[in-house]
């Protein structure tokens, strides 16, 4: 269904009010967005059904290439949700229309395209206000959703753990609350007094509309979910506290969705977590034990992927999970080297990291998928990101250098000890190997001589064990 539009000059970042009249009046088709799925699964987001869709975006800033890439990403999101993309269009505007997103004239033109294509859903590449949603839906006469609702739907499909499901539900309800629709002013939708019937305590009185009742119930559910999520995050906080007491460094893998974070976790730790060529395949964080080339132990955490314009509801709902990133010793920022706009991915990820309070954490940029990336583009990316490493989690290229870089970036254990531990305290020797860096170990008649760098707490226990041994011998 998609056709290639007539070639027009890329206006780049020129002042939008000065753009050509013809350019502003045109709906551009973005080529290559039509998909044919063998098995189109029905996806439900409340009363929302995503089946055959037309995408629409507004190009209000940046370059045409950037706007097209954003719409192509929206197409991948729609396919991930189980939809068939029939067409994709972009309108050039100085700013988004406050009433219908694309303007009343273009909304009517979009309605004709939707009818001709046989689509039942329109997806907008942006977050719509409740009024924009209603107005545009009234013109095109099919279901209209925005990028936020689409991402929330994908998260709802992929959540597996109890906490992940609760976080997604919380984000959905926060998104839905201002968008509830109903006959708020209709007396037939009011309940109160005798009309309340068997409603019971709390439903009697002058009456409230059905939409007010729905809002009250949603707020109560949101409050309950927030309390549940806070309780579920306690266990993770306890585990982090235990690692801190044992001075086990923490490394977090962050990055754009589908950049290869889970694949990297698997090759570094043998974790065996799900790896899938799909957006947001990983929602529940996976924490695994890993070792540096010298044998030093650290934890490696895989996190949810980020995306351009990640809904703020999701950031708020997943904040307890993302705390792992803000408290890490090092962030491995994984970038898809084969993407058309890796710099845009980097900017989006860093924006979210700053929002969750992780902007101060040391960052190591890891450019992944170099086996399928353009060498010229890779060279330019390395120049713009000095100190970055290029790897392929698929082929193993560059992994040895990455392991060395991780070891060099981890905080050093600054307590060095030289002492002989009696054989009766073999547990401390084992902890020195597990928690520290053993430089030398020799066995004698008196015990095990250790030269090691260990956490301060373990150093104190080693000294205490040596003092106890001396007192017993005396």
């Amino acid at each position: 269904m998609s056709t290639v539009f007539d070639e027009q000059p890329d206006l780049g970042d020129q002042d939008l009010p000065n753009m050509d009249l013809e350019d502003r009046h045109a709906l551009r088709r973005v080529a290559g967005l039509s998909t044919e799925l063998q098995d189109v699964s029905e996806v439900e987001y409340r009363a929302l059904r995503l089946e055959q869709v037309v995408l629409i975006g507004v190009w209000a800033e940046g370059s045409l290439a950037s706007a097209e890439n954003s719409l192509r990403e929206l197409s991948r999101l729609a396919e991930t949700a189980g939809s068939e993309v029939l067409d994709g269009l972009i309108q050039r505007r100085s700013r988004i229309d406050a009433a219908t997103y694309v303007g009343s004239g273009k909304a009517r033109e979009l309605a004709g395209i939707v009818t001709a294509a046989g689509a039942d859903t329109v997806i907008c590449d942006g977050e719509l206000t409740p009024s924009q949603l209603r107005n545009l839906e009234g013109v095109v006469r099919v279901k209209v959703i925005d990028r936020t609702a689409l991402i929330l739907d994908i998260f709802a499909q992929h959540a597996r753990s109890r906490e992940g499901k609760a976080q997604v539900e919380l984000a959905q309800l926060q998104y839905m609350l201002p968008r509830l629709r109903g006959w708020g002013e209709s007396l037939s939708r009011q309940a109160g007094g005798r009309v309340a019937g068997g409603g019971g305590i709390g439903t009697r009185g002058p009456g409230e509309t059905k939409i007010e009742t729905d809002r009250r119930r949603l707020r109560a559910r949101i409050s309950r979910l927030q309390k549940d999520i806070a309780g579920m995050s306690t266990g993770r906080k306890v585990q982090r506290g235990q690692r801190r007491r044992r001075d086990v460094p923490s490394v977090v893998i962050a990055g754009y969705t589908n950049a290869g974070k889970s694949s990297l976790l698997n090759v570094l730790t043998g974790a065996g977590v799900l790896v899938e060529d799909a957006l947001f395949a990983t929602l529940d964080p996976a924490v695994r034990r890993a070792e540096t080339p010298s044998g030093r132990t650290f934890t490696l955490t895989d996190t949810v992927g980020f995306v351009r314009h990640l809904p703020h509801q999701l950031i708020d709902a997943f904040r307890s999970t993302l705390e792992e990133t803000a408290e890490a010793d090092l962030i491995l920022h994984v970038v898809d080297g084969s993407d058309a706009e890796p710099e845009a991915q980097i900017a989006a990820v860093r924006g979210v990291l700053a929002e969750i309070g992780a902007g101060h954490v040391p960052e190591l940029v890891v450019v992944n998928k170099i086996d399928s990336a353009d060498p010229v583009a890779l060279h330019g990316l390395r120049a713009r990101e000095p100190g970055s490493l290029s790897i392929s989690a698929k082929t193993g290229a560059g992994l040895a250098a990455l392991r060395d870089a991780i070891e060099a970036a981890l905080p050093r254990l600054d307590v060095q000890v030289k002492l002989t531990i009696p054989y009766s305290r073999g547990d401390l020797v084992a902890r020195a190997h597990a928690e520290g860096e053993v430089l030398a170990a020799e066995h004698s008649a008196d015990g095990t001589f250790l030269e090691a760098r260990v956490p301060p707490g373990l150093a104190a226990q080693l000294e205490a064990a040596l003092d106890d041994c001396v007192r017993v011998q005396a």
Side-chain angles (χ1 to χ4, degrees):
M1 178 66 72
S2 288
T3 59
V4 180
F5 53 79
D6 292 336
E7 193 66 28
Q8 298 190 30
D10 183 357
L11 300 183
D13 294 316
Q14 295 178 14
D15 292 338
L16 294 174
N18 298 327
M19 56 193 175
D20 294 337
L21 183 65
E22 181 182 354
D23 199 45
R24 283 187 285 129
H25 287 179
L27 275 179
R28 298 171 175 267
R29 276 195 168 87
V30 177
L33 292 188
S34 178
T35 59
E36 294 183 2
L37 304 181
Q38 297 298 322
D39 180 19
V40 180
S41 59
E42 181 180 302
V43 180
E44 186 174 343
Y45 170 62
R46 302 295 170 176
L48 172 67
R49 296 179 66 199
L50 298 179
E51 292 179 351
Q52 294 184 317
V53 304
V54 170
L55 312 180
I56 180 70
V58 172
W59 171 23
E61 59 183 10
S63 65
L64 173 59
S66 179
E68 289 186 342
N69 285 331
S70 181
L71 205 67
R72 289 192 178 96
E73 181 176 84
L74 186 69
S75 175
R76 290 200 61 200
L77 289 168
E79 293 170 17
T80 301
S83 306
E84 180 183 358
V85 178
L86 302 180
D87 213 342
L89 308 108
I90 293 177
Q91 185 195 10
R92 176 70 152 163
R93 291 181 61 88
S94 59
R95 59 184 177 273
I96 292 174
D97 186 77
T100 59
Y101 182 69
V102 293
S104 57
K106 285 296 169 287
R108 289 190 294 270
E109 187 177 340
L110 176 62
I113 295 172
V114 168
T115 301
D120 51 30
T121 303
V122 170
I123 305 179
C124 298
D125 192 18
E127 183 168 337
L128 303 184
T129 65
S131 61
Q132 286 173 331
L133 206 60
R134 286 193 299 271
N135 294 338
L136 187 57
E137 211 169 62
V139 176
V140 298
R141 298 296 179 182
V142 295
K143 179 68 68 176
V144 175
I145 66 168
D146 58 17
R147 186 186 183 97
T148 298
L150 179 60
I151 293 175
L152 289 173
D153 182 85
I154 297 170
F155 269 61
Q157 292 183 64
H158 289 178
R160 294 293 179 264
S161 69
R162 178 168 170 260
E163 184 176 12
K165 291 178 180 179
Q167 289 168 325
V168 172
E169 183 182 356
L170 174 61
Q172 286 180 322
L173 295 181
Q174 289 173 332
Y175 172 81
M176 289 177 61
L177 186 59
R179 292 169 174 81
L180 284 176
R181 305 176 205 181
W183 303 288
E185 69 284 354
S186 173
L187 294 178
S188 65
R189 298 287 284 179
Q190 285 186 326
R194 294 185 179 181
V195 179
I201 298 173
T203 62
R204 291 182 286 268
E208 63 179 341
T209 62
K210 176 64 167 60
I211 195 169
E212 288 169 348
T213 304
D214 290 341
R215 283 176 179 151
R216 177 166 50 81
R217 289 173 176 169
L218 280 185
R219 291 190 184 101
R221 179 61 179 163
I222 287 172
S223 178
R224 179 62 184 173
L225 286 170
Q226 289 172 334
K227 292 179 181 178
D228 290 345
I229 292 171
M232 285 182 276
S233 66
T234 302
R236 194 166 44 251
K237 291 179 180 178
V238 171
Q239 291 175 347
R240 283 202 301 268
Q242 291 175 342
R243 293 197 295 268
R244 288 299 178 192
R245 283 193 297 272
R246 297 177 62 183
D247 291 301
V248 178
S250 171
V251 178
V252 168
I253 303 176
Y256 213 76
T257 181
N258 205 35
K261 299 181 299 298
S262 297
S263 298
L264 182 59
L265 177 73
N266 285 343
V267 297
L268 290 178
T269 68
V273 300
L274 170 69
V275 174
E276 186 178 351
D277 185 17
L279 303 183
F280 301 116
T282 301
L283 293 189
D284 302 315
V287 183
R288 296 294 185 270
R289 179 180 180 273
E291 289 186 354
T292 65
S294 66
R296 186 180 178 193
T297 300
F298 65 95
T299 60
L300 195 60
T301 304
D302 186 16
T303 61
V304 60
F306 302 143
V307 72
R308 294 180 186 90
H309 314 302
L310 189 67
H312 64 85
Q313 296 95 341
L314 279 174
I315 297 176
D316 291 339
F318 279 76
R319 190 169 296 277
S320 61
T321 302
L322 296 173
E323 287 175 357
E324 191 85 26
T325 305
E327 298 184 14
D329 296 299
L330 175 66
I331 294 176
L332 295 185
H333 182 168
V334 182
V335 182
D336 183 355
S338 64
D339 187 77
E341 288 187 310
E343 294 85 358
Q345 287 192 1
I346 293 174
V349 171
R350 285 176 175 164
V352 176
L353 291 176
E355 188 171 350
I356 63 175
H360 66 284
V361 180
E363 175 194 56
L364 177 60
V365 176
V366 181
V367 182
N368 192 22
K369 303 185 182 180
I370 60 173
D371 54 301
S372 56
D374 178 20
V376 176
L378 277 178
H379 180 75
L381 184 58
R382 291 191 193 102
R384 287 184 291 273
E385 291 293 334
S388 63
L389 294 177
S390 300
I391 69 159
S392 171
K394 181 179 180 180
T395 65
L399 291 180
L402 174 60
R403 290 187 174 96
D404 291 337
I406 293 174
E407 181 165 30
L410 291 180
R412 299 303 307 167
L413 302 173
D414 54 0
V415 178
Q416 185 165 341
V417 296
K418 293 182 180 180
L419 39 72
T420 300
I421 303 299
Y423 289 121
S424 60
R425 296 308 310 269
D427 60 312
L428 292 178
V429 177
R431 285 186 58 188
H433 282 277
E435 301 175 27
E437 182 180 357
V438 176
L439 304 177
E442 297 178 4
H443 300 286
S444 66
D446 297 327
T448 303
F449 171 78
L450 281 181
E451 180 180 357
R453 294 191 186 96
V454 295
L458 179 55
Q461 293 183 46
L462 290 170
E463 295 285 357
L466 184 60
D467 293 341
D468 290 342
C469 180
V470 171
R471 283 194 295 270
V472 171
Q473 292 175 351

